[in-house]
Amino acid sequence: MASVDLRSDTVTKPTPGMLKAMTEAPVGDDVFRDDPSVNAFEEKVADMFGKEAGLFVPSGVMSNQICLYQLTKPGDEVILDELAHIFNYEAGSAALISGVQLRPLKGNRGMLDANQVEAAIRTTNDWDPHTRVVAVENTTNKGGGAVYPLKVLQEIGDVARRNGLFYHLDGARIWNALAANRYKAKEVGTLFDTISVCFSKGLGAPVGSMMLAEKSVIRDARRTRKMLGGGMRQVGLLAAAADYALEHHFSLLEADFYRAKKLAEVISESGSFRVKSESVESNILLFDTEKPANKVLAELNSAGIWMSAFGPYTIRAVFHHQITDADFSKVCAWFESYEPGPKP
Ligand SMILES: Cc1ncc(COP(=O)(O)O)c(C=O)c1O
C-alpha cells in the first residue's frame, strides 16, 4: 500500500480528468497575450474576487513578490505576522527584489489584529522608514490553518486605508477559508489592493498561482513577471489544469477540513500529543510531541504515514483530496493505538 502523504497539500498528482482538460486546452503565446485559456482564466478568477484583472504566474512566491514590488519603493516597510510565508519561506526575496524591510509582528496563529497594525505604523520623522503595506496571510500556513474572521480583515483594511497603506492578501489557501463557508470570495477580495491565490495547494493543480488587482497594477505587474523570468508561452495547458482544479476540487476541500478536525480529536484523545490550537479551522493540523518530532516522524514513516516537522517538538499534517477513506482510517488507527514507550 502506498504511503499516506500528509506532508503538504502540494503533493497531489494531476488526475486523468485534469490531464484530459490540459491536452484539450486551446493555447497560444501568452507573452503575446495570445493564449485564450490563460486570458479566460485570468478574467474568471479576477471576477470571482471582484478585482479588475488577474495575472497567471508560476508560483505563490512569485505572485506575492510581484505584488510587493508593485506596491513599494526600496526602503519601505511591510507589516506582517512573524509566521508569514513572505517572512519565513520566500528566501529573503522581498529584500532582494523590492529592497523593502519586513516588520514582523507577533499575532495569534499567524493572524494580526487592527490595533497592533495601527500601533506598528511609523511616524513621518525623517529617520523612520515609510510603512507602505500591510500583508496578511489567509488561511495561515505556519499558524496551523487559522482562518481570519471577516470583521478582522475589514478592521485591518480600515486602518490601512486611514493611514494611506496598501493592503495585500497572501491567499495561497484562501480556497480553504471559502470552502469552510467563512465568507464569499468577493467579500474578501474587495478589501485588498493586491491578492495572491494558489491553485497548486489544496485545489491540486500541478503548477500555478494568480495575482489579482486593478488593471493598471496588473499592466505593470506583467512587466515585473517578465523581469523575474515568469513570462510563459503556451501556458494555457497549466491554466486549464488550474481551472479544472477550481471547478472539480473546490468542493472537496470541505472534507479536508472535516478530516483535520476529526484527526485533532483522535490525537487529543490519545493523550500522547497536544494539538496546538483548540480550534482546527481548515485543512492544516499542528500538534506538539513529547519526544523530538523527528523521532515521532520516523515512527510514522515506518507505518507508511508521512508528516512534516514544524519545529523541534511540533508536527504538521495537511489534508488534501488524494487522501482516501482507507488512508484516513489508517492514520486515525495509528494514533488510537499509539504507545509512547518510556518517557524521553
Ligand atoms: C501561505 C503561502 N504563501 C505562499 C506560498 C508559496 O507558494 P509556492 O510554493 O507556489 O511558491 C505558500 C507555499 O506553501 C504558502 O503556504
Side-chain angles (χ1 to χ4, degrees):
M1 194 173 167
S3 293
V4 183
D5 194 347
L6 297 175
R7 288 172 302 163
S8 176
D9 49 9
T10 56
V11 299
T12 58
K13 310 245 168 68
T15 61
M18 183 181 281
L19 290 169
K20 183 164 182 289
M22 291 170 77
T23 58
E24 289 173 359
V27 294
D29 187 335
D30 183 50
V31 171
F32 295 156
R33 305 193 194 191
D34 277 351
D35 193 304
S37 300
V38 173
N39 293 341
F41 189 50
E42 287 176 342
E43 212 172 290
K44 171 176 167 174
V45 180
D47 187 54
M48 189 181 279
F49 283 88
K51 305 309 280 181
E52 284 181 2
L55 186 68
F56 192 60
V57 297
S59 71
V61 171
M62 190 184 285
S63 187
N64 276 331
Q65 294 304 326
I66 294 175
C67 291
L68 292 185
Y69 187 83
Q70 300 317 131
L71 301 177
T72 58
K73 290 207 286 280
D76 284 348
E77 189 165 80
V78 176
I79 294 175
L80 34 56
D81 188 278
E82 65 178 5
L83 300 182
H85 196 277
I86 291 174
F87 180 54
N88 291 286
Y89 300 129
E90 302 199 358
S93 53
L96 181 69
I97 296 168
S98 299
V100 293
Q101 72 181 26
L102 300 178
R103 175 90 182 273
L105 306 181
K106 191 173 190 55
N108 171 25
R109 293 179 294 145
M111 298 184 294
L112 301 171
D113 69 43
N115 289 336
Q116 71 181 143
V117 169
E118 187 137 41
I121 297 170
R122 307 282 189 170
T123 71
T124 52
N125 288 328
D126 285 350
W127 50 87
D128 272 347
H130 288 300
T131 309
R132 191 74 65 194
V133 178
V134 185
V136 296
E137 183 175 307
N138 191 28
T139 67
T140 66
N141 178 352
K142 206 170 164 60
V147 182
Y148 269 95
L150 187 60
K151 188 162 173 292
V152 176
L153 291 176
Q154 287 164 337
E155 287 166 355
I156 297 174
D158 289 344
V159 168
R161 237 185 331 278
R162 261 193 279 118
N163 291 279
L165 311 183
F166 294 117
Y167 196 21
H168 170 69
L169 170 65
D170 177 355
R173 292 187 180 77
I174 188 65
W175 313 107
N176 299 82
L178 302 178
N181 278 322
R182 296 292 290 264
Y183 21 72
K184 301 271 177 269
K186 273 201 176 69
E187 285 178 302
V188 187
T190 48
L191 299 174
F192 292 92
D193 297 293
T194 53
I195 302 176
S196 167
V197 299
C198 293
F199 308 103
S200 57
K201 311 291 177 298
L203 288 181
V207 179
S209 295
M210 197 180 290
M211 168 191 172
L212 306 166
E214 282 179 5
K215 272 192 183 136
S216 59
V217 177
I218 295 293
R219 195 178 47 238
D220 291 347
R222 287 185 72 86
R223 185 180 173 79
T224 310
R225 182 184 67 176
K226 189 70 180 153
M227 179 181 88
L228 296 174
M232 299 175 287
R233 304 297 177 173
Q234 287 70 27
V235 71
L237 301 176
L238 295 179
D243 195 14
Y244 182 94
L246 192 53
E247 289 300 320
H248 295 85
H249 299 165
F250 177 75
S251 61
L252 308 177
L253 296 178
E254 214 181 327
D256 299 341
F257 173 30
Y258 167 80
R259 283 178 169 164
K261 244 190 337 200
K262 182 78 198 139
L263 184 61
E265 283 167 25
V266 170
I267 288 179
S268 294
E269 281 162 19
S270 78
S272 301
F273 306 100
R274 200 178 63 81
V275 173
K276 251 191 150 19
S277 138
E278 63 295 344
S279 62
V280 171
E281 298 180 351
S282 61
N283 64 329
I284 300 179
L285 170 64
L286 297 181
F287 60 94
D288 290 335
T289 55
E290 281 188 7
K291 292 184 206 172
N294 282 338
K295 286 224 159 72
V296 178
L297 287 175
E299 292 170 0
L300 280 160
N301 279 4
S302 57
I305 299 168
W306 295 352
M307 295 184 182
S308 48
F310 241 52
Y313 291 90
T314 305
I315 290 179
R316 185 185 77 160
V318 189
F319 285 90
H320 54 78
H321 74 99
Q322 287 176 343
I323 298 298
T324 63
D325 287 343
D327 292 338
F328 185 59
S329 302
K330 174 172 162 172
V331 176
C332 291
W334 190 89
F335 283 97
E336 278 159 356
S337 61
Y338 186 73
E339 292 292 342
K343 281 242 183 256

